[in-house]
Coordinates of all heavy atoms in Angstrom, one line a residue:
D89 N -30.4 12.5 3.3 CA -29.9 13.4 4.3 C -28.5 13.2 4.7 O -27.9 13.8 5.7 CB -30.8 13.4 5.6 CG -30.8 12.0 6.3 OD1 -30.2 11.1 5.6 OD2 -31.3 11.9 7.4
G90 N -27.8 12.2 4.1 CA -26.4 11.9 4.3 C -26.2 10.8 5.3 O -25.1 10.4 5.6
T91 N -27.2 10.2 5.8 CA -27.1 9.0 6.7 C -26.6 7.9 6.0 O -27.0 7.4 4.9 CB -28.5 8.7 7.3 OG1 -29.0 9.8 8.0 CG2 -28.3 7.5 8.2
V92 N -25.4 7.3 6.6 CA -24.8 6.1 5.9 C -25.3 4.8 6.8 O -25.1 4.9 7.9 CB -23.2 6.2 6.1 CG1 -22.6 5.1 5.4 CG2 -22.8 7.6 5.4
S93 N -25.8 3.9 6.0 CA -26.2 2.7 6.6 C -25.4 1.5 5.9 O -25.0 1.6 4.9 CB -27.7 2.4 6.4 OG -28.0 2.5 5.0
A94 N -25.3 0.4 6.7 CA -24.6 -0.8 6.3 C -25.6 -2.0 6.5 O -26.2 -2.2 7.5 CB -23.4 -1.1 7.2
T95 N -25.6 -2.7 5.4 CA -26.6 -3.9 5.4 C -25.7 -5.2 5.3 O -24.9 -5.3 4.4 CB -27.6 -3.9 4.1 OG1 -28.3 -2.7 4.1 CG2 -28.4 -5.0 4.1
D96 N -25.9 -6.0 6.3 CA -25.2 -7.3 6.4 C -25.6 -8.3 5.5 O -26.7 -8.1 4.8 CB -24.9 -7.7 7.8 CG -26.3 -8.1 8.5 OD1 -27.3 -8.3 7.6 OD2 -26.4 -8.0 9.6
T97 N -25.1 -9.5 5.5 CA -25.5 -10.5 4.6 C -26.9 -11.2 5.0 O -27.4 -11.8 4.1 CB -24.4 -11.7 4.7 OG1 -24.2 -12.1 6.0 CG2 -23.0 -11.2 4.1
N98 N -27.4 -10.9 6.1 CA -28.6 -11.3 6.6 C -29.8 -10.2 6.2 O -30.9 -10.6 6.5 CB -28.7 -11.6 8.0 CG -27.8 -12.7 8.4 OD1 -27.7 -13.7 7.7 ND2 -27.1 -12.7 9.5
G99 N -29.4 -9.2 5.6 CA -30.3 -8.2 5.2 C -30.7 -7.2 6.3 O -31.5 -6.4 6.1
R100 N -29.9 -7.2 7.4 CA -30.1 -6.2 8.5 C -29.4 -4.9 8.2 O -28.2 -5.1 8.0 CB -29.7 -6.9 9.8 CG -30.7 -8.0 10.3 CD -30.2 -8.6 11.6 NE -28.8 -9.2 11.4 CZ -28.3 -9.8 12.4 NH1 -28.9 -10.1 13.5 NH2 -27.1 -10.5 12.1
S101 N -30.2 -3.9 8.3 CA -29.5 -2.6 8.0 C -29.3 -1.8 9.3 O -30.3 -1.7 10.2 CB -30.4 -1.9 7.1 OG -29.8 -0.5 6.7
T102 N -28.1 -1.2 9.4 CA -27.8 -0.5 10.6 C -27.2 0.9 10.3 O -26.3 0.8 9.3 CB -26.8 -1.2 11.5 OG1 -27.3 -2.6 11.8 CG2 -26.4 -0.4 12.8
S103 N -27.5 1.9 10.9 CA -27.0 3.3 10.6 C -25.6 3.3 11.3 O -25.6 3.1 12.6 CB -28.0 4.4 11.2 OG -27.4 5.6 11.1
I104 N -24.7 3.7 10.6 CA -23.3 3.8 11.1 C -22.7 5.3 11.1 O -21.5 5.3 11.5 CB -22.4 2.8 10.3 CG1 -22.4 3.2 8.8 CG2 -22.7 1.4 10.4 CD1 -21.4 2.4 8.0
G105 N -23.4 6.2 10.7 CA -22.9 7.5 10.7 C -23.8 8.4 9.8 O -24.7 7.9 9.1
K106 N -23.3 9.6 9.8 CA -24.0 10.6 8.8 C -22.9 11.5 8.2 O -22.0 12.1 8.9 CB -25.0 11.4 9.6 CG -25.9 12.3 8.7 CD -26.9 13.1 9.5 CE -27.7 14.0 8.7 NZ -28.8 14.6 9.4
L107 N -22.9 11.7 6.9 CA -22.0 12.6 6.3 C -22.2 14.0 6.9 O -23.3 14.5 7.1 CB -22.2 12.7 4.8 CG -22.1 11.3 4.0 CD1 -22.4 11.6 2.5 CD2 -20.7 10.7 4.1
K108 N -21.0 14.6 7.1 CA -21.1 16.0 7.5 C -21.2 16.9 6.4 O -20.3 17.1 5.5 CB -19.8 16.4 8.4 CG -19.8 17.9 8.8 CD -18.7 18.3 9.7 CE -18.8 19.8 10.2 NZ -17.7 20.2 11.0
L109 N -22.3 17.5 6.1 CA -22.8 18.4 5.0 C -22.9 19.7 5.5 O -23.5 20.0 6.7 CB -24.0 18.0 4.4 CG -24.0 16.5 3.8 CD1 -25.4 16.2 3.3 CD2 -23.0 16.4 2.7
V110 N -22.2 20.7 4.9 CA -22.3 22.1 5.4 C -22.8 23.0 4.3 O -22.6 22.7 3.1 CB -20.9 22.6 5.8 CG1 -20.3 21.7 7.0 CG2 -19.9 22.6 4.6
T111 N -23.3 24.1 4.6 CA -23.8 25.1 3.7 C -23.3 26.4 4.1 O -23.8 27.1 5.0 CB -25.3 25.1 3.7 OG1 -25.8 23.9 3.3 CG2 -25.8 26.1 2.6
P112 N -22.1 26.8 3.5 CA -21.4 28.1 4.0 C -22.2 29.3 3.7 O -22.9 29.3 2.6 CB -20.0 28.0 3.2 CG -20.3 27.1 2.0 CD -21.4 26.1 2.5
E113 N -22.3 30.3 4.5 CA -23.0 31.5 4.2 C -22.1 32.6 3.4 O -22.6 33.4 2.9 CB -23.3 32.2 5.6 CG -24.3 31.3 6.5 CD -24.7 32.0 7.7 OE1 -24.1 33.1 8.0 OE2 -25.5 31.5 8.5
A114 N -20.7 32.3 3.6 CA -19.8 33.2 2.9 C -19.0 32.3 1.9 O -18.8 31.1 2.1 CB -18.9 34.0 3.7
P115 N -18.5 32.9 0.8 CA -17.7 32.0 -0.1 C -16.4 31.3 0.6 O -15.9 32.0 1.4 CB -17.2 33.1 -1.2 CG -18.2 34.2 -1.1 CD -18.6 34.2 0.3
L116 N -16.1 30.2 0.2 CA -15.0 29.5 0.8 C -13.8 30.0 0.0 O -13.8 30.5 -0.9 CB -15.2 28.0 0.7 CG -16.4 27.4 1.3 CD1 -16.6 25.9 1.1 CD2 -16.4 27.6 2.9
T117 N -12.7 29.6 0.7 CA -11.3 29.8 0.1 C -10.7 28.6 -0.5 O -10.6 27.6 0.3 CB -10.4 30.5 1.1 OG1 -11.0 31.7 1.5 CG2 -9.1 30.9 0.4
R118 N -10.2 28.6 -1.7 CA -9.6 27.5 -2.3 C -8.1 27.4 -1.8 O -7.4 28.4 -1.9 CB -9.7 27.5 -3.8 CG -9.1 26.2 -4.4 CD -8.8 26.4 -6.0 NE -9.8 27.0 -6.7 CZ -10.7 26.4 -7.4 NH1 -10.7 25.1 -7.6 NH2 -11.6 27.1 -8.1
G119 N -7.6 26.1 -1.4 CA -6.3 26.0 -1.0 C -5.3 25.5 -2.2 O -6.0 25.2 -3.2
I120 N -4.1 25.3 -1.9 CA -3.2 24.9 -2.9 C -3.4 23.4 -3.2 O -3.0 22.9 -4.2 CB -1.8 25.1 -2.5 CG1 -1.5 24.5 -1.3 CG2 -1.6 26.7 -2.6 CD1 0.1 24.7 -0.9
D121 N -4.1 22.7 -2.2 CA -4.4 21.2 -2.4 C -5.7 21.1 -3.2 O -6.1 19.9 -3.4 CB -4.5 20.5 -1.0 CG -5.5 21.2 -0.1 OD1 -6.2 22.2 -0.5 OD2 -5.5 20.8 1.0
G122 N -6.4 22.2 -3.7 CA -7.7 22.1 -4.4 C -8.7 21.9 -3.5 O -10.0 21.9 -4.1
L123 N -8.7 21.9 -2.3 CA -9.8 21.9 -1.3 C -10.3 23.1 -0.8 O -9.4 24.2 -0.9 CB -9.5 20.9 -0.1 CG -9.2 19.4 -0.3 CD1 -8.7 18.7 1.0 CD2 -10.3 18.7 -0.9
F124 N -11.4 23.3 -0.3 CA -11.8 24.6 0.1 C -12.1 24.6 1.6 O -12.3 23.6 2.3 CB -13.2 24.9 -0.5 CG -13.2 25.1 -2.1 CD1 -13.1 24.0 -2.9 CD2 -13.2 26.3 -2.5 CE1 -13.1 24.1 -4.3 CE2 -13.2 26.6 -4.0 CZ -13.1 25.4 -4.7
R125 N -11.8 25.8 2.2 CA -11.9 26.0 3.6 C -12.6 27.3 4.0 O -12.6 28.2 3.1 CB -10.4 25.9 4.2 CG -9.8 24.6 4.1 CD -8.3 24.6 4.7 NE -7.7 23.3 4.6 CZ -7.2 22.6 3.6 NH1 -7.2 23.2 2.4 NH2 -6.7 21.5 3.6
A126 N -13.1 27.3 5.2 CA -13.8 28.5 5.8 C -12.7 29.5 6.4 O -11.8 28.9 6.9 CB -14.9 28.2 6.6
G127 N -13.0 30.7 6.3 CA -12.0 31.5 6.9 C -12.0 31.7 8.4 O -11.0 32.0 9.0
A128 N -13.2 31.3 9.0 CA -13.4 31.4 10.4 C -13.5 30.1 11.1 O -14.5 29.8 11.8 CB -14.6 32.4 10.7
G129 N -12.7 29.2 10.8 CA -12.7 27.8 11.5 C -13.7 26.9 10.8 O -14.2 27.2 9.6
D130 N -13.9 25.8 11.4 CA -14.8 24.7 10.9 C -16.2 25.2 10.9 O -16.7 25.9 11.8 CB -14.6 23.4 11.6 CG -13.1 23.0 11.6 OD1 -12.4 23.4 10.6 OD2 -12.8 22.1 12.4
L131 N -17.0 24.7 9.9 CA -18.3 25.1 9.8 C -19.2 24.0 10.4 O -18.8 22.8 10.5 CB -18.8 25.2 8.3 CG -18.0 26.2 7.4 CD1 -18.5 26.1 6.0 CD2 -18.3 27.6 8.0
S132 N -20.3 24.4 10.9 CA -21.3 23.4 11.5 C -22.1 22.7 10.5 O -22.4 23.2 9.4 CB -22.2 24.1 12.5 OG -21.5 24.9 13.4
A133 N -22.4 21.5 10.8 CA -23.2 20.6 10.0 C -24.6 21.2 9.7 O -25.2 21.8 10.6 CB -23.3 19.2 10.4

């Protein structure tokens, strides 16, 4: 589900965040930098 966890040298695992994954309803637009963006602002996770 995108959850990022970190395991220390003692084997203890801790959740430190979650990747923001989006599923656009409309096609994205490719920028000159090769990345894609939504036309109406940032998308929700």
Side-chain angles (χ1 to χ4, degrees):
D89 63 351
T91 299
V92 181
S93 59
T95 304
D96 59 21
T97 55
N98 295 323
R100 291 176 296 187
S101 180
T102 305
S103 176
I104 56 176
K106 185 178 181 181
L107 301 177
K108 183 177 180 180
L109 303 171
V110 302
T111 305
E113 297 181 358
L116 301 174
T117 302
R118 189 200 306 267
I120 58 176
D121 55 1
L123 299 174
F124 293 79
R125 292 173 175 81
D130 300 340
L131 300 176
S132 301

